[in-house]
Amino acid sequence: MAVVGLLVLFPISSLIAGSFWSGYPGYPGEWTLKNYLDAFADPLLPTLFINSLVYAGGASLLATLLAVFYAFITARTDTPGRGLLSYLPYIDLMTPALLTNIAWIYLLHPRVGLINNFIGQVFGPDAPVLNIYSLPGMIFITGLNTSSLVYIGIQAAFKSMNPEYEDVSRVCGAGIRRTTFSVTLKLTMPAILSMTLLNFIIVLEVFETPSMIGLPANIPVFMSTIYNAVSWSIPPKTGQATALAVILLMIVLTFTTVYRRYTARVERYAVITGRGYQPNVIKLGKWRYATFLLLMVYAAVLIVLPISLVLLLSFKIFWDPNNLFGDFTLKNYVEVLNHPHLFTAIINSTLFSAAAASILVFLIPIVVYLSRRVKARGASVVENVAMMPQAYPGLVLALGLLWGYITLPIGIYGTAAILVIAYVTRFMPHVTRLFSGVVVQIHQELEESSRVCGSGFMSSIRRIVLPLLRPAMVGAWVYAFIVSFRELSASVLLVAPGTEVISVLLWGLWINGEDRQFAAAIMILVGILALIISTVLLIARLIRARVLLARRP
Amino acid sequence: MPEDYMKRKITRRRAISATGKTAIGAVVGLGVGGIAGYLGGISSQQANTVTKTFTQQVGAATVTATVPGPTVTMAQTVTRTATVVSTLTPLSEIQQKYENAKRERELLVYGSLDVEDFTPLQRSFNSKFPDVQVQYLRGSPSELYNRIKSEIGAKRPTADIVIMSLPNILQMKSEGLLDAYKSRELLAYPGRFFDDRGFWSPVVMLPNASVVNTRLLATTPQSIEDVLQATNRGQIIMHNLLQGTASTFMWGQMKNIIGETRWREILERLAALKPVLNNSLSGVTQAVRDGQYRIGFIAYLHDIMKSAEEGAPVRNFWVSELPVMVTINAGALLKDTPHRNAAELMMDYILSAEGQSIFGNISVRFPTRPGVNAKYSAEAAFPGRRLYLYPDEEIVAEAQSLVQTFRSMGFGT
């Protein structure tokens, strides 16, 4: 708890102090409310708020619908290829949001978008075009992009569910549809709501789509305003940005409190109990081919189309929708592979991300478990503290980390340690949410039974809780590794010579207008990530197989 | 009003350039008498000392100087490995700095230039001064600003030199984040291209230009009327002039050159065409290159030329009625630099003919030092046109009011 408190409260207190300080932190100034008064007095604020809520609400809703559908089909039905397809969202997680946005711009740009070009050729030049530069366009990209995160958060709930509730429903005469809606979805609702809430907050802090699509379309949202204030102004308007971020923090804490009250009676949602369970697999009959087709469409839209398009771009000098497979060149790959920092950056990113993911997967289950199980006063506060970084857009949080850690006399500024700390702090809320949905579902009677049988507290944790958490731990590690590997906002402020990471290198290519090299680098990056994640998942499977083998009589 | 302004500028510039000319003349005289040539790396067939007279038009002023040409004498030092050659900086001074820099051992440069663009110079410097390890950290201007401001505020200065576009450097100067250092190499530069007190020096030139997609627009616009045609409504992308950064200053400075009435008329008509505002200057060329828009108004010339060299259907242009605007990437020593001697040595090298020649042969960068042996130059890109440097410190101070003016004209609505 002390570690979580230190990791979170130290940089955030720097930010809060910064929002009430008239000057730049560390420089002369005075305490003031001006930043807040300015934020509230901005005539654009109502527009930003409405746009942001519609955008975040729409994208979260879309992401949840897609994720629930995908998780249900892959976890609970006999759709062909569901085992393999269940890993698809992990591939999507490996693709940076920047890639997805670029891909959809080239697919749905009103003038040069490939899909619009195709529509024009089939239906004539007067056919209506799909315009990515719109609020629905922003919702579509972000909803699609974040559905993988929601999926990873809820799939464990579908996989870990006790089938007896569904059996009872079926025995009582309910059909598949009614059982699914009345029992299965209701029982997984804590995980679904939890991830929807998390996703809503994540979308509020997404800056790629608001800046790449929203700004050219003249659709400002809360985040693009903060991002512009910090990223595009010299001197950066850090006072305004931190004030807006503190307001956002209040909103997030309100949402978190509401959610906790809603899930206060945790036993109501506990579906992993003392009895053995094996989730039911619903036999779909001939409909399984239809669900297979739907999964393939989702996979195509989520992964195949964007990655194919960027792959195509990586071999081109310039975009021409009428000459897709002409003028190919390897120049972009050659230039990227000759980049002086490429290999150092890949190795650094791998090591730092693995370290951050391991720390998170060790630390957060303890935090969530204690928060949910220990009846001591204030125990739940620590989970709220772990959620606090979520309220801060990455770049603003990075400023807090910079301002906080640069003043520490222990000398971690400019080292690899500060990057690992930054990743742990930034992704602590994500991993907390991933675990909280699962811990809620584990009924206390399991541990009580263990203790009645003579096991101590630690033994019960090791033999009961940890094995039940293992799927979530593997998922969380993979998730934390990927998001840390991709992390940009904090990295750009904290890297030093020798600690360069791949996301910063990619960003440098993008902002310098080297978008084709950027596309080539992204493809290399996705390949490396796929290799690492496949290895980790393979190892996890082997360990699981060994454990099962050892348990055989 | 514009005439007054120009006269004032010209007078100031002439005064500066007259001092510069005297100094340059004196140095050339000394050079003939025995001061060693350029900082190393010059081909052997060009080893003879030569002098060269060059003229450059900067704004309304003409700068003429006679300095040793880009390739002069090589002089070997007795130090371990360094062969040091210079035009304007005495060899003894370089040697002394290097001896001191050896004790400092390292140097950290923060810059917004691409890593690939800085690496050739970094390698060349390291080969000449092997006991000083140079490291370069690339970042966007805001990232670098935040780092520098925080490091200096926390009294933990890390970097020694910063290289960023002039508007950002001027902001940092106004906040006291820079240290003064006036290299002798500056004698070869036009007066307006460096700070009088040595707080910043030019590194590479960043000329602006407009860009057209030649597939979407067969005829390149020649006049501002060609650009402001109603048929271009929704077909123009421009750098966001509401950010208080490069474009804000460029358009702001232009007011003083073409007169406020004409300036306002052009911008209001441009705003009525509903141009898309892009935060990244490089992104303007990208969007035009890929056919998203017909015209990019304005972009960086080096981005356009690079795309054109690669075969993209783009062409740069600059309408006849508007002045050709250039800014620079400036370099400066940071306040409380931990490696002062190494930093001075690096600044001397960046400003030397050889350093500038390295930049000028990268695809595509424009050297700031006149007359260097380079593949690219701003003068060649705009033959016969005057180049107007922006921003000056008065315009930087007006940033917020300019943004309000542009907003009131209809941009960003």
Side-chain angles (χ1 to χ4, degrees), chain A residues 106 111 320 413 495 512, chain B residues 114 147 151 215 234 290 292:
Chain A
Y106 285 103
R111 290 196 194 99
D320 181 357
Y413 176 71
V495 292
N512 277 325
Chain B
D114 303 11
R147 273 172 176 273
E151 287 171 2
R215 290 188 177 178
D290 291 335
Q292 295 177 25

Side-chain angles (χ1 to χ4, degrees), chain A residues 234-522:
Chain A
I234 300 279
K237 297 169 188 161
T238 48
Q240 182 197 2
T242 48
L244 288 172
V246 169
I247 295 168
L248 195 61
L249 174 69
M250 297 302 126
I251 297 169
V252 170
L253 288 180
T254 308
F255 270 89
T256 309
T257 308
V258 169
Y259 168 74
R260 286 188 65 84
R261 287 199 174 176
Y262 176 70
T263 56
R265 290 168 58 202
V266 289
E267 287 83 2
R268 191 173 142 198
Y269 300 98
V271 288
I272 303 172
T273 61
R275 299 180 189 178
Y277 65 91
Q278 181 69 45
N280 280 335
V281 172
I282 300 166
K283 308 266 184 219
L284 292 174
K286 61 184 178 181
W287 287 102
R288 65 201 189 107
Y289 298 109
T291 51
F292 175 73
L293 194 66
L294 287 172
L295 291 189
M296 295 309 287
V297 169
Y298 176 69
V301 175
L302 183 72
I303 294 166
V304 180
L305 263 178
I307 290 190
S308 305
L309 194 121
V310 175
L311 183 66
L312 198 64
L313 275 178
S314 71
F315 289 106
K316 305 278 285 182
I317 294 296
F318 64 95
W319 175 247
D320 181 357
N322 297 311
N323 182 25
L324 283 182
F325 302 105
D327 302 328
F328 272 19
T329 177
L330 285 173
K331 179 175 167 284
N332 302 320
Y333 283 92
V334 172
E335 287 186 2
V336 167
L337 291 171
N338 282 328
H339 194 288
H341 297 159
L342 179 72
F343 292 103
T344 311
I346 289 172
I347 290 167
N348 285 346
S349 287
T350 308
L351 293 176
F352 303 164
S353 307
S358 304
I359 292 169
L360 282 166
V361 167
F362 172 77
L363 192 66
I364 298 304
I366 300 172
V367 169
V368 174
Y369 185 80
L370 293 178
S371 169
R372 297 281 169 172
R373 290 287 198 264
V374 175
K375 305 293 181 194
R377 201 174 168 185
S380 63
V381 171
V382 72
E383 194 180 327
N384 276 341
V385 170
M387 284 300 293
M388 285 172 80
Q390 190 58 55
Y392 286 92
L395 204 69
V396 179
L397 184 66
L399 282 175
L401 290 161
L402 177 69
W403 296 341
Y405 287 105
I406 202 170
T407 53
L408 280 187
I410 54 174
I412 59 166
Y413 176 71
T415 67
I418 194 166
L419 283 162
V420 176
I421 288 172
Y423 299 158
V424 169
T425 310
R426 249 211 98 184
F427 300 116
M428 193 180 284
H430 299 209
V431 179
T432 303
R433 273 284 162 262
L434 288 174
F435 278 108
S436 66
V438 178
V439 169
V440 162
Q441 290 189 313
I442 301 175
H443 203 289
Q444 269 187 296
E445 72 181 29
L446 290 166
E447 294 144 79
E448 287 161 5
S449 306
S450 171
R451 278 180 220 150
V452 166
C453 294
S455 291
F457 176 75
M458 288 310 293
S459 176
S460 301
I461 295 286
R462 187 171 56 82
R463 301 183 64 180
I464 308 291
V465 180
L466 276 182
L468 289 170
L469 282 179
R470 190 176 292 130
M473 288 174 88
V474 173
W477 192 95
V478 170
Y479 173 78
F481 177 84
I482 292 170
V483 290
S484 300
F485 204 93
R486 288 169 21 174
E487 205 285 335
L488 173 68
S489 314
S491 304
V492 292
L493 282 183
L494 301 173
V495 292
T499 64
E500 293 92 350
V501 290
I502 192 75
S503 56
V504 175
L505 187 146
L506 285 172
W507 182 242
L509 292 174
W510 171 252
I511 59 175
N512 277 325
E514 308 286 0
D515 57 336
R516 299 301 180 263
Q517 283 183 38
F518 170 81
I522 285 269

